[in-house]
Amino acid sequence: MASSFDPVGVFDSGVGGLSVWKEIVKILPNESVIYYADSKNCPYGSKTKDEVIALSENIVDFFLHQNCKLIVVACNTATAAAIDYLRDNYPIHFVGMEPAVKPAALSTKTDNIGILATQGTFQGRLFRETSRKWADGKKMMIQAGEGLVEIVEQGKAESPEAEALLEKYIIPMLDKDVDQIVLGCTHYPFLLPLIKKIIGNRATVIDPSPAVAKRTFDLLALQKILNESNKNPYYKFYSNGPAPAMKKILAGIISSDFEIVQADK
Ligand code: DGL
């Protein structure tokens, strides 16, 4: 039986899920949160569904050993490949990443929506179903952001290399009159300064992370396992491989001291 004092587990293939972690701790300041970066196996985007399921299972086992009360799959690609399987096979609640097609479809004035995500996310059931449900009658420009995850992992989110790739992916969307661009990968919010520079005021960028944090809050409340006490929430960060950018990214989003623990699996 989960206790309200147990931690929330958040994972991603690497540092991307920290963009979700940041939103979670903002609206759930009493919660202890354990973050796991599967840096050794990053990126997930080019892996098969079965590979991503196996990797996600490893991490879920790790979280269960730490008594996590809820797990946030802070990775669109892992959500697409594995969340159905995880929900069917583990006795714990999961929150996944929603491809934010709905808010984009509701806000567009040009009826043209752009989605930047990994190949794995575009291949998933969630993306297919959400698009069918919400984007009927809209034109969707989907673009795999190849290379972007690696750039963020290497700490080069503001490099000329990042800018060149983003221009290649985003300018064709703007040329097609896209006025909403969905960030369908949790690594991409770290590229926002460059994305905004390229877009200017020609389109709105949609990051689903705040909505995912809100869903985490609601699910904890619904299960009656919200931590109501603000005594000593702790944050732990694990990575199982080299994560050159993790320290710098964390330093930019956390005000307390932190340590990145090397995970052995
Ligand atoms: N942050 C992951 C996502 O949201 C990155 C995927 C990858 O590792 O390729 O999809």
Side-chain angles (χ1 to χ4, degrees), residues 12-13 16 42-45 74-77 118 121 149 184-187:
D12 178 47
S13 61
C42 189
Y44 280 4
C75 174
N76 295 71
T77 312
T118 68
T121 295
V149 166
C185 169
T186 54
H187 280 75

Side-chain angles (χ1 to χ4, degrees), residues 107-169:
S107 305
T108 180
K109 297 201 166 47
T110 61
D111 280 350
N112 294 310
I113 301 166
I115 323 260
L116 197 57
T118 68
Q119 203 55 54
T121 295
F122 288 130
Q123 281 158 3
R125 172 189 67 79
L126 255 180
F127 179 71
R128 218 173 28 248
E129 288 180 5
T130 321
S131 307
R132 201 178 300 137
K133 185 161 172 201
W134 295 105
D136 199 26
K138 319 279 180 210
K139 277 214 183 88
M140 292 209 330
M141 261 198 89
I142 63 169
Q143 173 66 56
E146 239 156 80
L148 295 176
V149 166
E150 290 86 339
I151 279 179
V152 174
E153 287 294 326
Q154 288 156 13
K156 296 184 188 157
E158 278 154 45
S159 62
E161 193 186 342
E163 185 163 5
L165 262 187
L166 285 166
E167 281 177 347
K168 183 170 134 199
Y169 297 149

Side-chain angles (χ1 to χ4, degrees), residues 22-249:
K22 176 165 100 40
E23 299 301 325
I24 291 175
V25 300
K26 207 188 282 174
I27 64 163
L28 287 161
N30 293 345
E31 300 296 336
S32 295
V33 187
I34 302 181
Y35 185 85
Y36 190 101
D38 192 4
S39 317
K40 190 171 74 180
N41 298 299
C42 189
Y44 280 4
S46 47
K47 294 194 162 46
T48 65
K49 185 177 162 87
D50 285 348
E51 283 170 330
V52 176
I53 289 177
L55 294 170
S56 303
E57 275 200 285
N58 262 338
I59 301 166
V60 169
D61 289 340
F62 175 87
F63 282 147
L64 291 180
H65 276 111
Q66 313 253 348
N67 283 332
C68 287
K69 60 182 175 184
L70 178 137
I71 295 174
V72 180
V73 185
C75 174
N76 295 71
T77 312
T79 301
I83 205 153
D84 291 341
Y85 176 89
L86 297 175
R87 285 186 172 135
D88 286 348
N89 288 281
Y90 288 91
I92 182 168
H93 284 280
F94 291 92
V95 175
M97 297 304 299
E98 274 282 324
V101 175
K102 178 182 170 186
L106 293 177
S107 305
T108 180
K109 297 201 166 47
T110 61
D111 280 350
N112 294 310
I113 301 166
I115 323 260
L116 197 57
T118 68
Q119 203 55 54
T121 295
F122 288 130
Q123 281 158 3
R125 172 189 67 79
L126 255 180
F127 179 71
R128 218 173 28 248
E129 288 180 5
T130 321
S131 307
R132 201 178 300 137
K133 185 161 172 201
W134 295 105
D136 199 26
K138 319 279 180 210
K139 277 214 183 88
M140 292 209 330
M141 261 198 89
I142 63 169
Q143 173 66 56
E146 239 156 80
L148 295 176
V149 166
E150 290 86 339
I151 279 179
V152 174
E153 287 294 326
Q154 288 156 13
K156 296 184 188 157
E158 278 154 45
S159 62
E161 193 186 342
E163 185 163 5
L165 262 187
L166 285 166
E167 281 177 347
K168 183 170 134 199
Y169 297 149
I170 290 173
I171 289 174
M173 292 185 184
L174 299 174
D175 289 346
K176 288 246 162 73
D177 215 15
V178 155
D179 69 345
Q180 307 292 318
I181 297 182
V182 176
L183 303 185
C185 169
T186 54
H187 280 75
Y188 301 166
F190 294 115
L191 297 161
L192 263 174
L194 279 180
I195 294 175
K196 288 201 168 145
K197 181 177 162 200
I198 294 165
I199 290 177
N201 56 9
R202 295 174 70 190
T204 303
V205 181
I206 302 181
D207 170 12
S209 307
V212 171
K214 171 78 172 52
R215 175 71 189 140
T216 306
F217 184 105
D218 291 346
L219 203 53
L220 289 173
L222 201 72
Q223 301 302 311
K224 302 198 174 17
I225 46 173
L226 260 183
N227 195 349
E228 311 279 358
S229 144
N230 63 0
K231 276 199 201 109
N232 307 325
Y234 62 84
Y235 302 136
K236 283 189 186 166
F237 301 95
Y238 290 89
S239 167
N240 62 358
M246 194 162 176
K247 206 166 161 190
K248 187 172 158 214
I249 288 179

